[in-house]
Every structure is written in C-alpha cells, then in structure tokens.
C-alpha cells in the first residue's frame, strides 16, 4: 500500500537528499517560528526579572521558583505524553499543545500577584514544554541525517531571533507600560503563527504506518529502558543545567553588578541576537560538513571559557560586555546545534516521538532543579549586588565536562549499534 501524497515520508526514505525543497524550506520556517515562541516565553522571564521582582516584591528564591515552576510542569507533561506521542499525527499533536501554550501565556499577562503568576507559569509549562520535542520529531521525520545539522541550525536561530526581535521589543513594552504587556503581545503574535501552521503544514503521520506496541505504557517503558537512550537522556540533563542556572539571573547580574542601565538591555540582547542569527546556520552547515561531534567539542570548550569570563566580570564598559556576551552565545550555539542533530539520530522512527518527549521532559526537570539550586546559591548584598554568580559558573563548567564524557560514550555505542544493524541487513 502506498503512502498518500499529502502525508510526508520520513527522512529515512530520502537518505540521498541534500537539497531543500520549497515545502521543506517553508516547514523549517514554521518550526523555527514555533520554537521562537516557546523560547521567547522562557527568555522573557530573564530580562523581565529585574522588573518583576520589585513589582511583585519577591525575592531571588521566589523568582527562581517561578522559573522552575514552568520547568517542572513541562517535565511532568513530557513524561505523561511520551507514551502517546507516536500514536497521533504530529501536526495535530503540535497544534493541541500550542493552543494551550498560547492560553497560558495570556494568563501570565493577566497575573497581578506572585501566586497567580506561579500558577500561570505551571499551566503554560504543561503545554509549552512538549512543543519543542514535537518540533524536533517533525524535523527528524522530514529531513535526512545529512541535512539535520543545517535544519537544527536554522531552527535554533529562533533563540537568536527571540533576542533580536522578541526580547528588545518585550523590554520596550515593559519599560513603556509594564511587564504584563509583553505576554499579551507574544500571545497575539503566536496565535497568528499557529493559524499559519494550521493552514500550510501537511499531516506528519507516516510513522503511524509502522507497527507499534498496543500499550502506550509498554511503549514508554521500552523507551526509558533502552541503554542508548539512557545515555542520551543523561547528556541532555547535564547540558540543560547551564541555561537554567545562568540565564534567569543574567539581567539582574548585568544591571546590578556590571553597572549597565536597564534601558541598555534591549541593545545588548539585540546585538547578541543579530550575531547569533548569522552564526547559527553557519554552525549547522559546518556540523554537516566536518562532523557534528567535532563541532560539539569546540562549542563545549569555548562556552566553558566564556562562562568563566562572564561570571567573573565586574563593572565593565558596555562594548566589552557585548563582545563577551556574543562569544558566550556562539560557544553555546556551537554546542547545542550539533548536539540536537546527534540526538535526532539516536531513536528509531517508531520511538522518535516518545524519545523526544522524554528528552524534553528531562530538559525541563533538570532545568527546574538547576533553577531552584541557583536561587539558593545566589543572594543580594546590602548594595543590591548579586552574590555568588561565579559559583553558578563553576557548576555549569562541571556539568559541561560530565555531559561531554557521556556524549563521547554515546558516540561509541551508537557506532556499534549502526554496525550491528548493517550486518543484520546484509
């Protein structure tokens, strides 16, 4: 029986593909936009933290809990949906969770107290935390392995776009009115993007033709007990620590410790974002060309160096801060883009959705733990400066080293698995 032309075939059936079709380019754009919306939702909490904390009269620990609440609920949602993630058309699954995410974002904008904001972040996380995993599953389904570095590079530029477009605009709205307005604006823009996905994206359901286990719980059990997957999940958990430790308090550190005006934050994020938009696709292309693991090694070393420099800075000129921030994010991108491409090749097609959902869940849960720990490690002195931010940097370096060792091991295990699979086929 042949596959309907409206249902996109997996990338495995296009093993020789190297050139993007017009539809594939459009899909990458749509996936990047959805990733932009989800990332911006998290990224906004960092620069708005300098406004939200005094507005709601909350401490660094309480703000850390607001950030981690999203992460914990997103992690729980990922685990609950993992067993069912491969049983539906990925487009329909994506639109369901994206709708809930938009409604949760509106609720964040309506929040007037700490408690309401905390609950709103939990609801937003329940839906938003799964979107990234579905986006990656769709990208893996639709693109051949030798194209995934470029695809992940373009999708990850959503992170940079959130800095160039979203964060400066969000900070402008916050400074012009208050911190609630950016959430309303993000929900409106996200709603328009969701309608476009509903209209233009074809069903992504070719994986449904592959025989699956009858029980979703067995499907989940077999995914979480596969040794290769466990190594991948461990690497994900350690890599996620960095963002959730440093980013939630970065704006506070820049303003209170480095002496940068809060009105200069949009410029800082915009310049950094423009540079990373330029470097993201380039890093993806290099990953496909010279090898994803080699680029990952470079990114790990560079990001570790820049974390040390960044967390030990004192009062600095604004141009120097911009240079350091750009180099830090180039290191982070050089690590995350090849890592995402490598992770895409780990699961089998029939377990791709559940693997991605569990991976996203682990990202959020480990990030939530990291955020809570960070909130307890840092504090404010009498002058309002953030203390022990350098300690967070040391923790990030340690987890980066552990993640590298795990991924090195996974590379060897994956290599042996590929050889065994090839020998069985012959």
């Amino acid at each position: 029986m042949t596959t309907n032309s409206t249902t996109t075939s997996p990338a495995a059936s296009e093993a020789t593909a190297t050139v993007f079709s017009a539809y594939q380019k459009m899909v990458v754009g749509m996936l990047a936009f959805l990733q932009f919306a989800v990332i911006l939702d998290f990224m906004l909490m960092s620069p708005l933290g300098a406004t939200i904390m005094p507005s709601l009269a909350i401490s660094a620990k309480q703000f850390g809990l607001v950030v981690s609440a999203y992460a914990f609920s997103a992690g729980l949602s990922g685990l609950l949906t993992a067993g069912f993630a491969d049983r539906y058309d990925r487009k329909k699954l994506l639109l369901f969770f994206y709708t809930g995410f938009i409604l949760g974002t509106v609720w964040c904008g309506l929040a007037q107290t700490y408690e309401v904001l905390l609950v709103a972040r939990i609801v937003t996380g329940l839906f938003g935390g799964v979107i990234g995993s579905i986006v990656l599953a769709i990208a893996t389904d639709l693109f051949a392995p030798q194209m995934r570095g470029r695809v992940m590079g373009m999708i990850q530029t959503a992170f940079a776009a959130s800095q160039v477009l979203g964060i400066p605009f969000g900070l402008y709205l916050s400074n012009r009115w208050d911190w609630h307005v950016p959430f309303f604006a993000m929900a409106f823009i996200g709603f328009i993007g969701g309608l476009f996905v509903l209209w233009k994206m074809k069903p992504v359901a070719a994986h449904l033709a592959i025989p699956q286990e009858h029980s979703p719980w067995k499907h989940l059990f077999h995914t979480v007990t596969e040794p290769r997957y466990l190594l991948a999940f461990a690497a994900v958990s350690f890599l996620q620590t960095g963002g959730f430790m440093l980013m939630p308090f970065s704006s506070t550190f820049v303003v209170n410790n480095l002496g940068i005006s809060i009105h200069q934050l949009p410029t800082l994020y915009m310049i950094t974002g423009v540079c990373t938009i330029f470097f993201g696709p380039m890093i993806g292309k290099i990953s496909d060309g010279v090898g994803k693991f080699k680029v990952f090694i470079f990114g790990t070393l560079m990001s570790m160096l820049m974390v040390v420099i960044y967390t030990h800075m004192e009062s600095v000129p604004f141009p120097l801060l911009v240079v350091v921030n750009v180099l830090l994010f180039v290191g982070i991108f050089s690590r995350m883009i090849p890592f995402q491409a490598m992770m895409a090749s780990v699961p089998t097609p029939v377990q791709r959705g559940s693997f991605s959902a569990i991976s996203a869940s682990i990202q959020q849960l480990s990030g939530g733990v990291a955020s809570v720990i960070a909130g307890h490690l840092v504090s404010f002195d009498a002058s309002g400066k953030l203390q022990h931010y350098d300690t967070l940097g040391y923790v990030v370096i340690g987890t980066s080293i552990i993640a590298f060792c795990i991924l090195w091991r996974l590379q060897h295990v994956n290599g042996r698995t590929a050889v065994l699979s090839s020998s069985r086929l012959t």
Side-chain angles (χ1 to χ4, degrees):
M1 179 175 158
T2 58
T3 305
N4 189 293
S5 59
T6 61
T7 302
T8 310
S9 301
S13 66
E14 302 174 9
T16 60
T18 57
V19 180
F20 293 97
S21 67
Y23 176 71
Q24 285 178 319
K25 291 177 182 178
M26 183 177 65
V27 168
V28 171
M30 288 189 287
L31 295 180
F33 176 83
L34 296 178
Q35 197 78 325
F36 164 81
V38 175
I39 292 173
L40 179 59
D41 180 79
F42 167 70
M43 290 292 293
L44 267 178
M45 293 302 294
S46 173
L48 291 180
T51 304
I52 292 176
M53 282 190 277
S55 175
L56 297 181
I58 60 177
S59 65
K61 291 182 181 179
Q62 288 175 306
F63 183 69
L65 184 58
V66 169
V67 176
S68 62
Y70 176 100
F72 286 132
S73 63
L76 176 62
S77 177
L79 289 176
L80 293 176
T81 59
F84 303 89
D86 294 300
R87 294 174 173 267
Y88 300 95
D89 174 1
R90 300 202 201 281
K91 175 187 173 181
K92 293 180 180 178
L93 202 65
L94 177 64
L95 288 173
F96 170 77
F97 283 100
Y98 189 69
T99 301
F101 165 76
I102 294 298
L103 294 176
T105 302
V106 172
W107 194 352
C108 291
L110 295 172
Q112 298 293 331
T113 65
Y114 166 69
E115 291 77 14
V116 173
L117 179 61
L118 184 65
V119 174
R121 294 306 295 165
I122 292 173
V123 173
T124 307
L126 286 173
F127 290 94
V130 184
I131 294 173
S133 66
I134 304 173
V135 165
L136 293 179
I138 292 174
T140 309
D141 277 354
L142 303 188
F143 297 92
Q146 61 268 32
M147 304 171 73
R148 288 175 189 160
R150 285 169 287 168
V151 172
M152 298 304 171
M154 288 183 279
I155 291 177
Q156 288 300 322
T157 56
F159 184 92
S162 70
Q163 292 186 307
V164 175
L165 302 173
I167 290 181
F169 184 59
L171 284 172
Y172 169 78
L173 295 177
S174 177
N175 294 335
R176 179 68 176 80
W177 286 281
D178 60 39
W179 62 266
H180 302 85
V181 177
F183 289 103
F184 291 129
M186 188 173 67
F188 176 75
I189 296 172
F191 174 73
I192 300 301
L195 290 179
F196 189 76
V197 172
L198 176 65
W199 176 38
K200 287 291 186 179
M201 182 179 286
K202 299 177 184 178
V204 185
H207 61 284
L208 298 179
I210 305 174
Q212 300 188 38
E213 295 172 290
H214 293 292
S215 170
W217 304 113
K218 284 186 177 179
H219 187 63
L220 173 61
F221 176 77
H222 290 150
T223 302
V224 298
T225 56
E226 169 61 41
R228 288 189 304 121
Y229 298 173
L230 292 177
L231 284 173
F233 296 151
V236 166
S237 66
F238 283 105
L239 280 178
Q240 190 67 6
T241 301
F244 276 87
M245 279 208 157
L246 294 181
M247 295 306 295
F249 300 99
S250 62
S251 66
T252 304
F253 175 73
V254 168
V255 172
N256 295 9
N257 292 50
L258 304 185
I260 303 300
S261 168
I262 193 170
H263 298 289
Q264 290 179 293
L265 285 181
T267 304
L268 172 64
Y269 288 117
M270 183 178 67
I271 295 175
T272 303
V274 168
C275 293
T276 46
I277 280 179
F278 172 77
F279 283 111
M282 182 185 300
I283 293 168
K285 188 174 182 179
I286 294 173
S287 298
D288 284 337
V290 305
K292 298 172 180 61
F293 190 59
K294 291 180 181 179
V295 177
F296 175 83
I297 294 173
F298 167 79
T300 298
L301 294 175
M302 183 175 180
S303 60
M304 288 168 58
L305 172 63
M306 297 314 301
V307 163
V308 172
I309 295 174
Y310 180 74
T311 57
H312 284 79
M313 287 194 301
E314 296 181 355
S315 183
V316 296
F318 183 72
L320 178 59
L321 174 61
V322 170
V323 172
V324 171
N325 210 51
V326 168
L327 293 177
L328 172 62
F329 277 96
V330 168
I332 292 172
F333 269 52
S334 297
R335 183 178 66 171
M336 293 309 300
I337 289 173
F339 177 76
Q340 293 284 10
M342 286 187 286
M343 289 300 99
S345 299
V346 172
T348 61
V350 74
Q351 292 177 314
R352 190 166 287 150
S354 59
F355 174 89
S356 297
I358 295 170
S359 178
S361 175
I362 291 173
Q363 283 184 27
Q364 300 293 349
L365 290 173
S366 59
V369 171
S371 181
V372 170
I373 293 174
H376 284 79
L377 288 178
V378 299
S379 60
F380 295 99
D381 63 13
S383 65
K385 287 188 175 181
L386 194 65
Q387 299 293 301
H388 310 301
Y389 197 63
D390 57 334
T391 302
L392 300 184
Y394 292 129
V395 175
V396 171
I397 291 171
T399 56
S400 297
I401 294 173
I402 296 173
F404 167 77
C405 294
I406 295 172
L407 193 59
W408 180 83
R409 174 62 178 167
L410 179 61
Q411 287 292 100
H412 287 268
V413 172
N414 261 350
R416 289 200 302 270
T417 301
V419 170
L420 288 173
S421 299
S422 178
S423 64
R424 290 193 189 103
L425 290 173
T426 56

